[in-house]
Amino acid sequence: MTPEVRERLDTFIKAKGLRRTAQRDAIVDEIFASEEHFTADELWERLRGAGQGTSRATLYRTLSLLTEANLLQEIDLGDGQTTYDPNFLDRPSHNHLVCVDCGKVIEFEDEHLEVLNDCITRRLGFRAVKQSLRIEACCDELRTKGRCPNLIEARLQGKRLPGKKR
Amino acid sequence: MTPEVRERLDTFIKAKGLRRTAQRDAIVDEIFASEEHFTADELWERLRGAGQGTSRATLYRTLSLLTEANLLQEIDLGDGQTTYDPNFLDRPSHNHLVCVDCGKVIEFEDEHLEVLNDCITRRLGFRAVKQSLRIEACCDELRTKGRCPNLIEARLQGKRLPGKKR
DNA sequence: GTTATTGCAAATGATTTGCACAAGG
DNA sequence: CCTTGTGCAAATCATTTGCAATAAC
């Protein structure tokens, strides 16, 4: 996937008269090395851990750049900070389900949903530009068996669990 | 509508061992005097204008309280601050369309959408707790006729137009 | 050589919090 | 009275910005 990202970014950068820099390369490489969602701070830590640390200012500026270039999309997981999603190139119209128990984020696509939203939008006299659906839900397994595999995993990994308010 | 709100709030307050105060009354009255969405700051100004000013601290604390009591719902219009929606009592499962040209927010309900989302959620092994769809779209009128009535109105009223970044 | 980019530190802006005082029940 | 609520000012937290130094092209 990185080659396509590289190309798109280069094109975008050239078209805008901007420059390719070591920092931007490092940030792009780190982001697209996986499909994981991340916050600015999480990415900053990852970069730091990989010996590719940059200033937060540069990181935020690059994240805006990548968003503008449509390589990244800002999503709202309802926790008061921006989460970035690197998977919209692969799956242009996916949405997110957030488990209220463990905070796990699941991506899903559904063509009916897309069509329906478009109908609704036209009926209202508009043309859809972008749509984002977030479903908050609880895991059947936790409800019926009393335990959620993701919850356990999340606790082990010390991940951020849901519950807004920074 | 205020009577139902009053009753629900009183019940909630009593159940939690909390107290009814002049400030809370003023805030609730101001909120439910209309169906308008608002940010904390906008409401603070409205209260101040009505000679019912409170401290921002109290306002934020009361907004949390009302949200917890399900009289209010926090929604994300993508502009970096929390918007509050007082219309979920009347229309429990509505969603929002935001005009990218003028920033106007339109509420809509669609039962098919609700059903579809529920199906999707179950298929993924979850039970939906809450879902929020935000459609960003542009107005047919602006696109075809070159002018958007809401845009004009918004400019006249000096309303906040879309364009994130606080 | 220009002009964009970086890093630092200071600024922002929304929201939260500690605390002493005021006020419901 | 006893405890919750309020206002103030200070604190947070994520994010942005001004500016001098640095590095692309």
Side-chain angles (χ1 to χ4, degrees):
Chain A
M1 133 91 18
T2 311
E4 187 181 352
V5 172
R6 238 310 62 81
E7 194 193 313
R8 283 207 182 217
L9 182 55
D10 283 352
T11 306
F12 182 83
I13 277 186
K14 217 157 286 171
K16 286 239 167 187
L18 307 179
R19 292 167 188 179
R20 180 168 173 174
T21 68
Q23 288 88 333
R24 288 178 179 166
D25 279 354
I27 292 170
V28 170
D29 287 346
E30 183 62 40
I31 290 175
F32 294 98
S34 89
E35 298 205 335
E36 257 189 279
H37 299 148
F38 56 88
T39 63
D41 208 62
E42 286 166 355
L43 180 59
W44 191 77
E45 291 294 352
R46 275 163 59 185
L47 286 163
R48 162 152 289 271
Q52 297 288 131
T54 70
S55 70
R56 282 196 158 76
T58 295
L59 181 54
Y60 276 108
R61 286 188 277 235
T62 303
L63 289 172
S64 298
L65 189 72
L66 296 175
T67 302
E68 212 193 322
N70 281 311
L71 294 172
L72 227 47
Q73 201 151 132
E74 302 180 340
I75 59 176
D76 168 49
L77 261 30
D79 64 347
Q81 63 198 314
T82 303
T83 296
Y84 295 86
D85 184 332
N87 306 322
F88 280 90
L89 270 192
D90 279 336
R91 300 181 285 285
S93 63
H94 70 265
N95 287 286
H96 300 91
L97 180 151
V98 183
C99 176
V100 296
D101 300 315
C102 66
K104 179 163 186 149
V105 178
I106 293 167
E107 299 192 347
F108 63 88
E109 292 190 281
D110 186 291
E111 52 173 295
H112 300 112
L113 182 59
E114 225 189 315
V115 173
L116 178 54
N117 286 342
D118 231 68
C119 285
I120 294 172
T121 305
R122 285 176 198 222
R123 199 180 307 141
L124 293 169
F126 288 80
R127 201 54 52 108
V129 170
K130 181 180 166 186
Q131 40 139 308
S132 47
L133 169 66
R134 182 180 82 227
I135 296 177
E136 288 170 38
C138 52
C139 161
D140 280 342
E141 226 172 314
L142 178 62
R143 196 160 28 71
T144 57
K145 299 185 191 149
R147 57 197 219 79
C148 160
N150 300 330
L151 179 55
I152 295 163
E153 197 191 327
R155 290 237 162 106
L156 286 175
Q157 294 183 14
K159 289 227 177 169
R160 58 195 162 112
L161 292 184
K164 319 189 57 176
K165 301 315 140 197
R166 330 185 160 173
Chain B
M1 136 88 21
T2 311
E4 187 182 351
V5 172
R6 218 351 30 92
E7 193 193 311
R8 282 206 183 218
L9 182 55
D10 283 352
T11 306
F12 182 82
I13 278 186
K14 215 158 285 170
K16 285 237 167 190
L18 306 179
R19 291 168 189 176
R20 182 169 174 173
T21 68
Q23 288 88 333
R24 287 178 181 166
D25 279 354
I27 292 170
V28 170
D29 287 345
E30 184 61 41
I31 290 175
F32 293 97
S34 89
E35 297 204 335
E36 258 190 278
H37 299 147
F38 57 86
T39 62
D41 209 61
E42 285 166 355
L43 180 59
W44 192 77
E45 292 294 354
R46 277 164 58 185
L47 286 163
R48 164 152 289 269
Q52 298 289 132
T54 69
S55 69
R56 284 197 158 74
T58 295
L59 180 54
Y60 277 109
R61 285 187 279 233
T62 303
L63 289 171
S64 297
L65 189 72
L66 295 174
T67 302
E68 211 194 321
N70 281 311
L71 293 173
L72 226 48
Q73 202 150 132
E74 302 179 340
I75 59 176
D76 169 50
L77 261 30
D79 63 348
Q81 63 197 314
T82 302
T83 295
Y84 295 86
D85 184 334
N87 306 323
F88 280 92
L89 270 191
D90 279 335
R91 299 181 288 284
S93 61
H94 69 264
N95 287 285
H96 300 92
L97 179 151
V98 183
C99 176
V100 296
D101 299 315
C102 67
K104 179 163 182 147
V105 178
I106 292 166
E107 299 193 346
F108 64 88
E109 294 190 279
D110 187 291
E111 51 173 296
H112 300 115
L113 182 60
E114 224 189 316
V115 173
L116 178 55
N117 285 342
D118 231 70
C119 284
I120 294 172
T121 305
R122 285 175 201 223
R123 199 180 307 140
L124 292 169
F126 287 80
R127 201 54 54 108
V129 169
K130 181 180 165 185
Q131 39 139 308
S132 47
L133 168 66
R134 182 181 82 227
I135 296 178
E136 288 170 39
C138 51
C139 161
D140 280 342
E141 228 172 311
L142 178 62
R143 196 158 30 70
T144 58
K145 299 184 195 153
R147 57 194 217 80
C148 161
N150 300 330
L151 179 55
I152 294 163
E153 197 192 327
R155 290 236 163 107
L156 286 175
Q157 295 183 10
K159 290 229 176 166
R160 58 195 161 110
L161 292 184
K164 320 189 53 172
K165 300 314 142 203
R166 328 187 163 172

